[in-house]
Amino acid sequence: TASRFQKQCTAMRPNGSHRHIRSGVASMEMKRKGKMGPRMPGTGPSQSMLEQQRMYQQMMKEREESGVPTFELFVRGPNSPSWYPAGALGGDENSKELVESWMGGMMSDMAKGAIDRGVAQSLFSDKKSLDAKIIEQYPQLKKSKNNLRYGYKVAYKGLLEKRPNAKDVTELKEDMTEAPLDKVKSALGFGKK
C-alpha cells in the first residue's frame, strides 16, 4: 500500500497553476481558469474609440491655443438626463468678439443670444445629416432619432472664470435660428409669403 506521502497531492497556486507532488518529485501543470481571449463587448472602450477620444482631446487643445472659441456640440434623447458629445464647431474672429462681449461686455445678453443663434443656424442647417451620424455613433439613440435634442458649450480661455454657468450645456431649439426682430415680425404676420 502506498503511504500518504506517496499519494498524488494537488496544491493550488495564486496564479491559477496546479502543482502535482509525487513521492518527493514536483512537476508543474499549467491550467487557466476562464477564457483569456479578445476583449469582450461591453467591457470597456474599443481601441478605435480610445483613438478617437485622443484625437478629439488633441484637437481641443490646439483650438484652445489658437485663441478662437470652440463650440462643443452635445446630443441626447428626449427623456435622457445625459448629454453625449456630438462634435465641435470651430469659431472665428467674429465669434471670438461675441464670446469676449458675453464674458464682460455691457451687451452680454445680446452677445449670448447672437452666439446661440449662430450655433443653432450652423447645426440646424444640416440637421438630417447630423442626425444620421449621431445614430451611427450612438445606436442607443436610434429609437429617439426624430426627437433628438441638441446643445452646446463654449470652450474659450478664461470664460469659466467670468461666466461659471458656461460649464452647463445650452439646449438649442430651431426657433433660435431667427433674430429677435424676425420673431416679432413672424408673430405679427409680417414677412410671410
mmCIF file of all heavy atoms in Angstrom, residues 9-44:
data_model
loop_
_atom_site.group_PDB
_atom_site.id
_atom_site.type_symbol
_atom_site.label_atom_id
_atom_site.label_comp_id
_atom_site.label_asym_id
_atom_site.label_seq_id
_atom_site.Cartn_x
_atom_site.Cartn_y
_atom_site.Cartn_z
ATOM 1 N N CYS A 9 -0.821 14.563 -4.574
ATOM 2 C CA CYS A 9 -1.420 15.722 -3.921
ATOM 3 C C CYS A 9 -1.445 16.861 -4.928
ATOM 4 O O CYS A 9 -0.553 16.981 -5.746
ATOM 5 C CB CYS A 9 -0.603 16.139 -2.699
ATOM 6 S SG CYS A 9 -0.500 14.854 -1.458
ATOM 7 N N THR A 10 -2.458 17.675 -4.831
ATOM 8 C CA THR A 10 -2.550 18.831 -5.722
ATOM 9 C C THR A 10 -2.675 20.075 -4.866
ATOM 10 O O THR A 10 -3.500 20.132 -3.974
ATOM 11 C CB THR A 10 -3.775 18.729 -6.640
ATOM 12 O OG1 THR A 10 -3.699 17.508 -7.359
ATOM 13 C CG2 THR A 10 -3.826 19.901 -7.590
ATOM 14 N N ALA A 11 -1.825 21.053 -5.143
ATOM 15 C CA ALA A 11 -1.880 22.327 -4.425
ATOM 16 C C ALA A 11 -2.157 23.437 -5.428
ATOM 17 O O ALA A 11 -1.535 23.485 -6.476
ATOM 18 C CB ALA A 11 -0.558 22.577 -3.717
ATOM 19 N N MET A 12 -3.070 24.302 -5.110
ATOM 20 C CA MET A 12 -3.425 25.428 -5.987
ATOM 21 C C MET A 12 -2.502 26.588 -5.698
ATOM 22 O O MET A 12 -2.286 26.933 -4.549
ATOM 23 C CB MET A 12 -4.869 25.830 -5.734
ATOM 24 C CG MET A 12 -5.325 26.975 -6.582
ATOM 25 S SD MET A 12 -5.390 26.509 -8.273
ATOM 26 C CE MET A 12 -7.013 27.000 -8.678
ATOM 27 N N ARG A 13 -1.966 27.201 -6.736
ATOM 28 C CA ARG A 13 -1.125 28.382 -6.589
ATOM 29 C C ARG A 13 -1.940 29.625 -6.902
ATOM 30 O O ARG A 13 -2.923 29.547 -7.617
ATOM 31 C CB ARG A 13 0.057 28.297 -7.555
ATOM 32 C CG ARG A 13 0.982 27.189 -7.173
ATOM 33 C CD ARG A 13 2.236 27.336 -7.940
ATOM 34 N NE ARG A 13 3.222 26.501 -7.288
ATOM 35 C CZ ARG A 13 4.484 26.601 -7.492
ATOM 36 N NH1 ARG A 13 4.951 27.506 -8.315
ATOM 37 N NH2 ARG A 13 5.324 25.815 -6.895
ATOM 38 N N PRO A 14 -1.488 30.808 -6.415
ATOM 39 C CA PRO A 14 -2.248 32.040 -6.659
ATOM 40 C C PRO A 14 -2.438 32.384 -8.128
ATOM 41 O O PRO A 14 -3.396 33.018 -8.503
ATOM 42 C CB PRO A 14 -1.437 33.121 -5.945
ATOM 43 C CG PRO A 14 -0.571 32.396 -4.985
ATOM 44 C CD PRO A 14 -0.373 31.023 -5.529
ATOM 45 N N ASN A 15 -1.511 31.974 -9.002
ATOM 46 C CA ASN A 15 -1.634 32.335 -10.417
ATOM 47 C C ASN A 15 -2.523 31.369 -11.194
ATOM 48 O O ASN A 15 -2.646 31.476 -12.395
ATOM 49 C CB ASN A 15 -0.247 32.434 -11.071
ATOM 50 C CG ASN A 15 0.478 31.098 -11.116
ATOM 51 O OD1 ASN A 15 -0.053 30.073 -10.707
ATOM 52 N ND2 ASN A 15 1.702 31.115 -11.612
ATOM 53 N N GLY A 16 -3.127 30.406 -10.516
ATOM 54 C CA GLY A 16 -4.055 29.508 -11.189
ATOM 55 C C GLY A 16 -3.426 28.212 -11.651
ATOM 56 O O GLY A 16 -4.106 27.339 -12.160
ATOM 57 N N SER A 17 -2.133 28.031 -11.496
ATOM 58 C CA SER A 17 -1.489 26.786 -11.916
ATOM 59 C C SER A 17 -1.629 25.749 -10.801
ATOM 60 O O SER A 17 -1.872 26.075 -9.646
ATOM 61 C CB SER A 17 -0.021 27.028 -12.242
ATOM 62 O OG SER A 17 0.683 27.366 -11.075
ATOM 63 N N HIS A 18 -1.475 24.510 -11.164
ATOM 64 C CA HIS A 18 -1.515 23.429 -10.193
ATOM 65 C C HIS A 18 -0.126 22.820 -10.087
ATOM 66 O O HIS A 18 0.622 22.767 -11.056
ATOM 67 C CB HIS A 18 -2.497 22.329 -10.647
ATOM 68 C CG HIS A 18 -3.915 22.778 -10.662
ATOM 69 N ND1 HIS A 18 -4.677 22.825 -9.539
ATOM 70 C CD2 HIS A 18 -4.714 23.211 -11.676
ATOM 71 C CE1 HIS A 18 -5.887 23.244 -9.845
ATOM 72 N NE2 HIS A 18 -5.930 23.494 -11.149
ATOM 73 N N ARG A 19 0.190 22.296 -8.924
ATOM 74 C CA ARG A 19 1.474 21.627 -8.729
ATOM 75 C C ARG A 19 1.170 20.228 -8.222
ATOM 76 O O ARG A 19 0.483 20.069 -7.212
ATOM 77 C CB ARG A 19 2.285 22.411 -7.719
ATOM 78 C CG ARG A 19 3.658 21.889 -7.529
ATOM 79 C CD ARG A 19 4.426 22.833 -6.652
ATOM 80 N NE ARG A 19 5.092 22.006 -5.672
ATOM 81 C CZ ARG A 19 5.592 22.428 -4.559
ATOM 82 N NH1 ARG A 19 5.472 23.687 -4.231
ATOM 83 N NH2 ARG A 19 6.201 21.638 -3.752
ATOM 84 N N HIS A 20 1.625 19.267 -8.961
ATOM 85 C CA HIS A 20 1.430 17.874 -8.549
ATOM 86 C C HIS A 20 2.690 17.411 -7.847
ATOM 87 O O HIS A 20 3.807 17.599 -8.325
ATOM 88 C CB HIS A 20 1.164 16.974 -9.766
ATOM 89 C CG HIS A 20 -0.109 17.319 -10.460
ATOM 90 N ND1 HIS A 20 -1.334 16.989 -9.954
ATOM 91 C CD2 HIS A 20 -0.344 17.984 -11.615
ATOM 92 C CE1 HIS A 20 -2.270 17.418 -10.767
ATOM 93 N NE2 HIS A 20 -1.695 18.033 -11.786
ATOM 94 N N ILE A 21 2.514 16.755 -6.727
ATOM 95 C CA ILE A 21 3.657 16.240 -5.975
ATOM 96 C C ILE A 21 3.527 14.721 -5.909
ATOM 97 O O ILE A 21 2.516 14.187 -5.462
ATOM 98 C CB ILE A 21 3.687 16.812 -4.538
ATOM 99 C CG1 ILE A 21 3.682 18.332 -4.608
ATOM 100 C CG2 ILE A 21 4.875 16.274 -3.768
ATOM 101 C CD1 ILE A 21 3.524 18.988 -3.279
ATOM 102 N N ARG A 22 4.552 14.013 -6.367
ATOM 103 C CA ARG A 22 4.595 12.547 -6.306
ATOM 104 C C ARG A 22 5.909 12.126 -5.689
ATOM 105 O O ARG A 22 6.954 12.447 -6.210
ATOM 106 C CB ARG A 22 4.498 11.947 -7.702
ATOM 107 C CG ARG A 22 3.152 12.065 -8.294
ATOM 108 C CD ARG A 22 3.080 11.237 -9.572
ATOM 109 N NE ARG A 22 1.920 11.678 -10.306
ATOM 110 C CZ ARG A 22 1.932 12.160 -11.544
ATOM 111 N NH1 ARG A 22 3.027 12.225 -12.216
ATOM 112 N NH2 ARG A 22 0.821 12.538 -12.095
ATOM 113 N N SER A 23 5.839 11.445 -4.638
ATOM 114 C CA SER A 23 6.990 10.896 -3.933
ATOM 115 C C SER A 23 8.219 11.785 -3.987
ATOM 116 O O SER A 23 9.259 11.386 -4.472
ATOM 117 C CB SER A 23 7.374 9.491 -4.433
ATOM 118 O OG SER A 23 6.820 9.127 -5.631
ATOM 119 N N GLY A 24 8.013 13.007 -3.575
ATOM 120 C CA GLY A 24 9.161 13.902 -3.448
ATOM 121 C C GLY A 24 9.568 14.593 -4.735
ATOM 122 O O GLY A 24 10.459 15.418 -4.734
ATOM 123 N N VAL A 25 9.000 14.264 -5.878
ATOM 124 C CA VAL A 25 9.339 14.896 -7.144
ATOM 125 C C VAL A 25 8.198 15.839 -7.512
ATOM 126 O O VAL A 25 7.042 15.444 -7.532
ATOM 127 C CB VAL A 25 9.535 13.837 -8.263
ATOM 128 C CG1 VAL A 25 9.824 14.505 -9.587
ATOM 129 C CG2 VAL A 25 10.606 12.861 -7.884
ATOM 130 N N ALA A 26 8.517 17.080 -7.778
ATOM 131 C CA ALA A 26 7.492 18.066 -8.120
ATOM 132 C C ALA A 26 7.415 18.238 -9.629
ATOM 133 O O ALA A 26 8.438 18.264 -10.306
ATOM 134 C CB ALA A 26 7.811 19.403 -7.475
ATOM 135 N N SER A 27 6.229 18.339 -10.154
ATOM 136 C CA SER A 27 6.033 18.649 -11.569
ATOM 137 C C SER A 27 4.984 19.758 -11.648
ATOM 138 O O SER A 27 4.106 19.845 -10.802
ATOM 139 C CB SER A 27 5.591 17.414 -12.350
ATOM 140 O OG SER A 27 4.301 17.020 -11.953
ATOM 141 N N MET A 28 5.068 20.572 -12.678
ATOM 142 C CA MET A 28 4.134 21.685 -12.847
ATOM 143 C C MET A 28 3.203 21.394 -14.009
ATOM 144 O O MET A 28 3.646 20.958 -15.063
ATOM 145 C CB MET A 28 4.887 22.994 -13.130
ATOM 146 C CG MET A 28 5.765 23.478 -12.022
ATOM 147 S SD MET A 28 4.849 24.081 -10.636
ATOM 148 C CE MET A 28 4.293 25.624 -11.260
ATOM 149 N N GLU A 29 1.947 21.655 -13.817
ATOM 150 C CA GLU A 29 0.977 21.567 -14.893
ATOM 151 C C GLU A 29 0.227 22.888 -14.899
ATOM 152 O O GLU A 29 -0.371 23.270 -13.903
ATOM 153 C CB GLU A 29 0.011 20.417 -14.633
ATOM 154 C CG GLU A 29 -1.025 20.266 -15.707
ATOM 155 C CD GLU A 29 -2.005 19.154 -15.382
ATOM 156 O OE1 GLU A 29 -1.680 18.248 -14.612
ATOM 157 O OE2 GLU A 29 -3.120 19.229 -15.904
ATOM 158 N N MET A 30 0.297 23.596 -16.000
ATOM 159 C CA MET A 30 -0.327 24.909 -16.083
ATOM 160 C C MET A 30 -1.762 24.766 -16.566
ATOM 161 O O MET A 30 -2.026 24.116 -17.568
ATOM 162 C CB MET A 30 0.445 25.815 -17.044
ATOM 163 C CG MET A 30 1.884 26.045 -16.666
ATOM 164 S SD MET A 30 2.067 26.821 -15.078
ATOM 165 C CE MET A 30 1.584 28.460 -15.475
ATOM 166 N N LYS A 31 -2.673 25.376 -15.833
ATOM 167 C CA LYS A 31 -4.073 25.440 -16.231
ATOM 168 C C LYS A 31 -4.536 26.860 -16.003
ATOM 169 O O LYS A 31 -4.005 27.551 -15.149
ATOM 170 C CB LYS A 31 -4.924 24.491 -15.394
ATOM 171 C CG LYS A 31 -4.636 23.043 -15.653
ATOM 172 C CD LYS A 31 -5.585 22.181 -14.872
ATOM 173 C CE LYS A 31 -5.308 20.713 -15.144
ATOM 174 N NZ LYS A 31 -6.221 19.855 -14.399
ATOM 175 N N ARG A 32 -5.509 27.292 -16.760
ATOM 176 C CA ARG A 32 -6.048 28.626 -16.534
ATOM 177 C C ARG A 32 -7.538 28.524 -16.308
ATOM 178 O O ARG A 32 -8.208 27.629 -16.813
ATOM 179 C CB ARG A 32 -5.737 29.562 -17.694
ATOM 180 C CG ARG A 32 -6.402 29.172 -18.967
ATOM 181 C CD ARG A 32 -6.110 30.159 -20.048
ATOM 182 N NE ARG A 32 -6.855 29.719 -21.223
ATOM 183 C CZ ARG A 32 -6.738 30.216 -22.390
ATOM 184 N NH1 ARG A 32 -5.893 31.202 -22.584
ATOM 185 N NH2 ARG A 32 -7.441 29.787 -23.386
ATOM 186 N N LYS A 33 -8.021 29.435 -15.552
ATOM 187 C CA LYS A 33 -9.452 29.474 -15.280
ATOM 188 C C LYS A 33 -10.097 30.474 -16.225
ATOM 189 O O LYS A 33 -9.608 31.583 -16.382
ATOM 190 C CB LYS A 33 -9.704 29.893 -13.841
ATOM 191 C CG LYS A 33 -9.305 28.848 -12.854
ATOM 192 C CD LYS A 33 -9.760 29.251 -11.491
ATOM 193 C CE LYS A 33 -9.699 28.054 -10.599
ATOM 194 N NZ LYS A 33 -10.478 28.232 -9.407
ATOM 195 N N GLY A 34 -11.196 30.120 -16.826
ATOM 196 C CA GLY A 34 -11.889 31.028 -17.727
ATOM 197 C C GLY A 34 -11.147 31.174 -19.037
ATOM 198 O O GLY A 34 -10.056 30.660 -19.222
ATOM 199 N N LYS A 35 -11.751 31.859 -19.958
ATOM 200 C CA LYS A 35 -11.124 32.083 -21.259
ATOM 201 C C LYS A 35 -10.414 33.415 -21.245
ATOM 202 O O LYS A 35 -10.928 34.395 -20.757
ATOM 203 C CB LYS A 35 -12.160 32.064 -22.361
ATOM 204 C CG LYS A 35 -12.717 30.699 -22.622
ATOM 205 C CD LYS A 35 -13.527 30.725 -23.888
ATOM 206 C CE LYS A 35 -13.928 29.310 -24.233
ATOM 207 N NZ LYS A 35 -14.549 29.226 -25.527
ATOM 208 N N MET A 36 -9.255 33.432 -21.817
ATOM 209 C CA MET A 36 -8.491 34.663 -21.975
ATOM 210 C C MET A 36 -8.410 34.933 -23.472
ATOM 211 O O MET A 36 -7.504 34.472 -24.125
ATOM 212 C CB MET A 36 -7.081 34.515 -21.399
ATOM 213 C CG MET A 36 -7.042 34.094 -19.950
ATOM 214 S SD MET A 36 -7.223 35.450 -18.845
ATOM 215 C CE MET A 36 -5.674 36.241 -19.048
ATOM 216 N N GLY A 37 -9.382 35.581 -24.007
ATOM 217 C CA GLY A 37 -9.410 35.832 -25.439
ATOM 218 C C GLY A 37 -9.433 37.310 -25.720
ATOM 219 O O GLY A 37 -9.021 38.123 -24.890
ATOM 220 N N PRO A 38 -9.958 37.666 -26.875
ATOM 221 C CA PRO A 38 -10.065 39.090 -27.204
ATOM 222 C C PRO A 38 -11.033 39.785 -26.259
ATOM 223 O O PRO A 38 -11.811 39.150 -25.553
ATOM 224 C CB PRO A 38 -10.589 39.087 -28.637
ATOM 225 C CG PRO A 38 -11.155 37.736 -28.861
ATOM 226 C CD PRO A 38 -10.450 36.812 -27.918
ATOM 227 N N ARG A 39 -10.990 41.100 -26.281
ATOM 228 C CA ARG A 39 -11.840 41.917 -25.412
ATOM 229 C C ARG A 39 -13.303 41.550 -25.642
ATOM 230 O O ARG A 39 -13.779 41.450 -26.752
ATOM 231 C CB ARG A 39 -11.611 43.392 -25.743
ATOM 232 C CG ARG A 39 -12.375 44.346 -24.850
ATOM 233 C CD ARG A 39 -12.226 45.763 -25.332
ATOM 234 N NE ARG A 39 -12.924 46.005 -26.576
ATOM 235 C CZ ARG A 39 -14.227 46.235 -26.675
ATOM 236 N NH1 ARG A 39 -14.969 46.254 -25.619
ATOM 237 N NH2 ARG A 39 -14.773 46.453 -27.839
ATOM 238 N N MET A 40 -14.003 41.351 -24.546
ATOM 239 C CA MET A 40 -15.428 41.038 -24.620
ATOM 240 C C MET A 40 -16.206 42.336 -24.858
ATOM 241 O O MET A 40 -15.892 43.351 -24.233
ATOM 242 C CB MET A 40 -15.908 40.399 -23.318
ATOM 243 C CG MET A 40 -15.229 39.076 -22.995
ATOM 244 S SD MET A 40 -15.640 37.783 -24.163
ATOM 245 C CE MET A 40 -17.343 37.522 -23.771
ATOM 246 N N PRO A 41 -17.216 42.305 -25.720
ATOM 247 C CA PRO A 41 -18.013 43.520 -25.940
ATOM 248 C C PRO A 41 -18.633 44.007 -24.628
ATOM 249 O O PRO A 41 -19.075 43.212 -23.810
ATOM 250 C CB PRO A 41 -19.100 43.055 -26.914
ATOM 251 C CG PRO A 41 -18.556 41.813 -27.546
ATOM 252 C CD PRO A 41 -17.642 41.192 -26.531
ATOM 253 N N GLY A 42 -18.626 45.303 -24.459
ATOM 254 C CA GLY A 42 -19.220 45.887 -23.274
ATOM 255 C C GLY A 42 -18.312 45.939 -22.066
ATOM 256 O O GLY A 42 -18.731 46.304 -20.988
ATOM 257 N N THR A 43 -17.049 45.535 -22.230
ATOM 258 C CA THR A 43 -16.140 45.535 -21.084
ATOM 259 C C THR A 43 -15.210 46.731 -21.086
ATOM 260 O O THR A 43 -14.276 46.775 -20.314
ATOM 261 C CB THR A 43 -15.297 44.240 -21.040
ATOM 262 O OG1 THR A 43 -14.553 44.137 -22.258
ATOM 263 C CG2 THR A 43 -16.176 43.028 -20.848
ATOM 264 N N GLY A 44 -15.451 47.676 -21.926
ATOM 265 C CA GLY A 44 -14.618 48.871 -21.968
ATOM 266 C C GLY A 44 -14.598 49.430 -23.372
ATOM 267 O O GLY A 44 -15.100 48.817 -24.312
#
